[in-house]
Amino acid sequence: MQVSIETTTGLERKLTVGIPADRIEGEVGARLAKAAKTVRIDGFRKGKVPVKVVKQRFGGGIRQEVVGELISSSFQEAIVKESIQPAGQPSIESVKNEDGQDLEYVATFEVYPEIELADFAAIEVKKPVAEIGDADLDKMIDVLQQQQASWSEVDRPAQQGDTVKIDYVGTKDGEEFDGGKAEDQPLELGSNKMIPGFEDAIIGMSAGEQKVASLTFPEDYQSEELKGASVEFTITVRSVSEKTLPEMDDEFFAKYGVTEGGEEKFREEVRNNMERELKNALESKLKNRVMDQLLKLHTVALPSALITSEIQNLKQQMVQQYGGGQQFDLSILPDDMFRDQAERRVSLGLLISEIVKSAEIKVDADKVKNKIDEIAATYEQPEEVVQYYRSNQQMMAGLEAAVLEEQVVEHLLASAKLEVEQQSYEEALKPDQQEASDAESE
């Protein structure tokens, strides 16, 4: 087998492979002889069909099958011989494929880039730290109470925090505008879902009252027609309902899985959940900051095949996230919408792989076990969750990949310059700008 390789542009390679004719003809002949013993052709007994007849009937198809298999196997032989690692499937073009002659084909593909790792001591990162105070705990419990609140209609003027049902009609220069009309629209006063001044105008109104409110749309409003426009809304209040928070009793605690221990146990469980959430948020924020620095230190040539594949993955994730069916046509989503995130993911994937190889980092089995235990602890039957993960190869592979990435971060931090950044609980839960971008894309 003859093999030659050339670099075209960047990461693209062209591999020319020649396969001797006798190798092809030998395999074709063997298959024809085998077929002659089993094929059924009118006028001949089974096993007595002459090879010449079999060749006339099936020779073309058998040769095509042999050539296809030899191209596949010889390509693998060639890349091993040349110590090449393709990034994606090759494009195969037959140059010479005729009976009795050597087969020659050209495989075009991209290779993985060679990466020279920088000095990780150049990484400077702020490590966020935060604690949960009593005020944070009280605020979280208030949120949980708000989630279980009940509503009841009241015969009094509307006030902040109430929910009203309203009809409204918006006009600009005396004419109704698109999207400015609704009937029996529920609205919580204080939610700031409407333009500035709209909810304030309703405060003090009772069921059955009507008011005309003169308002101005914000300059950055999405509709060009309404940006900064002065308008009037005729608002009619249909009903006013007030919120009643549940009592801090056993019935309320049970809704959040606390069936004994009363308020003390409930507060303990809420704090534990907040601690887990905070830990994950701080680790995620630190990891992303480290990864940002890693990207700044390196310029990586990216195989277009990997970018294309990652764009498809991101599209599929978006469809699954928003409940799209299997029949959803991914091609209607523009590639450029996902390109930046795909390039970031591929760059980091290549860098992490190189770090794992150069530092000889192995997955820590104890860390994987701890990760499973952390996940299982949030469920009522943790033993079942642990068993589910242990018995699911795909889930375990995902966990091991996550743990390996954490170990890479630890490896980088060992050389990096760290500065502690104190944050409040709420600040710690808010992702950095890049993290928020990543989350929107996932």
Side-chain angles (χ1 to χ4, degrees):
M1 185 175 73
Q2 299 295 318
V3 178
S4 64
I5 186 168
E6 64 175 306
T7 299
T8 52
T9 57
L11 299 175
E12 188 178 86
R13 303 289 185 270
K14 278 195 173 182
L15 190 71
T16 302
V17 180
I19 302 175
D22 57 0
R23 182 176 174 183
I24 300 170
E25 299 306 325
E27 182 62 27
V28 171
R31 296 195 186 190
L32 287 172
K34 183 178 179 180
K37 297 177 182 180
T38 58
V39 72
R40 291 182 181 275
I41 296 179
D42 291 343
F44 298 94
R45 288 183 296 164
K46 182 180 178 182
K48 299 296 182 179
V49 182
V51 172
K52 181 179 180 180
V53 175
V54 176
K55 184 177 182 179
Q56 289 174 342
R57 290 283 191 95
F58 307 108
I62 289 177
R63 177 182 171 81
Q64 185 177 1
E65 181 182 89
V66 168
V67 167
E69 292 178 5
L70 284 176
I71 286 176
S72 178
S73 62
S74 63
F75 176 75
Q76 295 301 319
E77 292 175 26
I79 63 175
V80 170
K81 178 181 178 182
E82 299 293 329
S83 300
I84 303 169
Q85 187 179 10
Q89 293 298 315
S91 171
I92 303 292
E93 178 186 356
S94 294
V95 176
K96 186 192 298 182
N97 181 13
E98 297 178 10
D99 286 348
Q101 297 187 23
D102 292 350
L103 170 69
E104 187 176 289
Y105 68 89
V106 175
T108 305
F109 54 91
E110 292 175 295
V111 296
Y112 284 92
E114 293 183 6
I115 298 175
E116 184 176 346
L117 295 174
D119 184 357
F120 300 142
I123 294 177
E124 298 181 2
V125 64
K126 292 183 178 180
K127 180 181 180 180
V129 296
E131 295 181 351
I132 298 172
D134 291 339
D136 298 315
L137 179 59
D138 291 339
K139 188 171 183 178
M140 178 59 69
I141 290 175
D142 179 66
V143 169
L144 297 177
Q145 284 184 285
Q146 297 287 346
Q147 291 175 353
Q148 300 297 331
S150 59
W151 296 90
S152 56
E153 286 193 20
V154 291
D155 186 16
R156 60 163 175 76
Q159 59 189 30
Q160 195 82 335
D162 287 343
T163 290
V164 294
K165 278 191 177 181
I166 57 172
D167 301 340
Y168 61 84
V169 178
T171 57
K172 176 186 174 185
D173 299 328
E175 299 290 332
E176 291 186 22
F177 53 84
D178 291 341
K181 183 177 183 179
E183 294 182 354
D184 275 341
Q185 177 75 39
L187 176 65
E188 184 174 352
L189 302 180
S191 63
N192 297 319
K193 292 182 178 179
M194 307 296 282
I195 65 171
F198 189 98
E199 294 175 27
D200 292 339
I202 298 173
I203 292 176
M205 295 178 66
S206 299
E209 289 189 20
Q210 188 177 86
K211 176 190 286 188
V212 177
S214 298
L215 303 173
T216 303
F217 274 89
E219 293 292 343
D220 59 353
Y221 194 69
Q222 61 266 30
S223 168
E224 289 292 333
E225 178 190 357
L226 297 174
K227 283 184 177 179
S230 296
V231 298
E232 289 188 338
F233 279 97
T234 302
I235 304 170
T236 303
V237 175
R238 296 299 182 190
S239 66
V240 179
S241 297
E242 69 176 3
K243 180 190 297 182
T244 301
L245 296 180
E247 296 292 332
M248 292 278 287
D249 55 19
D250 289 344
E251 181 181 353
F252 173 71
F253 304 146
K255 291 180 179 179
Y256 293 97
V258 178
T259 56
E260 57 183 26
E263 184 173 348
E264 181 179 354
K265 181 65 175 177
F266 174 71
R267 294 179 70 87
E268 179 185 333
E269 287 296 315
V270 173
R271 181 180 283 276
N272 288 341
N273 287 333
M274 292 173 70
E275 293 283 3
R276 280 193 291 267
E277 186 178 21
L278 178 61
K279 176 177 178 290
N280 291 335
L282 291 173
E283 289 178 352
S284 175
K285 186 171 288 189
L286 178 60
K287 184 193 79 171
N288 277 278
R289 290 179 177 184
V290 171
M291 294 303 178
D292 286 343
Q293 292 295 309
L294 185 64
L295 287 174
K296 287 180 181 179
L297 285 179
H298 300 86
T299 299
V300 182
L302 303 179
S304 58
L306 298 186
I307 298 298
T308 299
S309 176
E310 190 58 39
I311 286 174
Q312 290 301 110
N313 290 339
L314 289 169
K315 287 182 179 183
Q316 191 63 55
Q317 289 173 15
M318 174 175 281
V319 170
Q320 292 173 350
Q321 180 180 354
Y322 293 102
Q326 293 183 349
Q327 303 303 316
F328 186 88
D329 183 6
L330 297 180
S331 65
I332 68 175
L333 298 173
D335 287 357
D336 287 345
M337 179 179 175
F338 304 91
R339 189 170 301 281
D340 288 347
Q341 182 61 19
E343 290 179 352
R344 175 183 168 86
R345 284 191 177 189
V346 171
S347 296
L348 286 174
L350 293 172
L351 286 167
I352 289 171
S353 294
E354 186 63 28
I355 293 169
V356 168
K357 182 173 66 175
S358 65
E360 298 182 347
I361 301 174
K362 307 295 183 183
V363 177
D364 189 322
D366 289 337
K367 290 181 181 293
V368 174
K369 180 181 181 302
N370 291 339
K371 180 72 71 175
I372 296 174
D373 291 341
E374 286 178 11
I375 296 172
T378 63
Y379 291 84
E380 291 185 7
Q381 302 293 333
E383 300 84 1
E384 294 182 5
V385 177
V386 171
Q387 182 58 37
Y388 173 72
Y389 271 86
R390 291 292 184 189
S391 62
N392 189 311
Q393 187 175 358
Q394 185 175 356
M395 298 290 284
M396 285 299 295
L399 271 180
E400 288 172 356
V403 168
L404 189 62
E405 192 170 289
E406 290 175 3
Q407 291 178 242
V408 169
V409 171
E410 291 174 2
H411 177 74
L412 297 174
L413 288 173
S415 303
K417 297 180 181 68
L418 279 179
E419 178 185 345
V420 172
E421 180 184 17
Q422 190 69 45
Q423 296 187 341
S424 69
Y425 171 73
E426 290 189 350
E427 287 173 336
L429 292 186
K430 292 178 182 177
D432 291 335
Q433 185 174 2
Q434 180 59 55
E435 285 183 88
S437 175
D438 291 351
E440 289 173 5
S441 302
E442 293 180 353

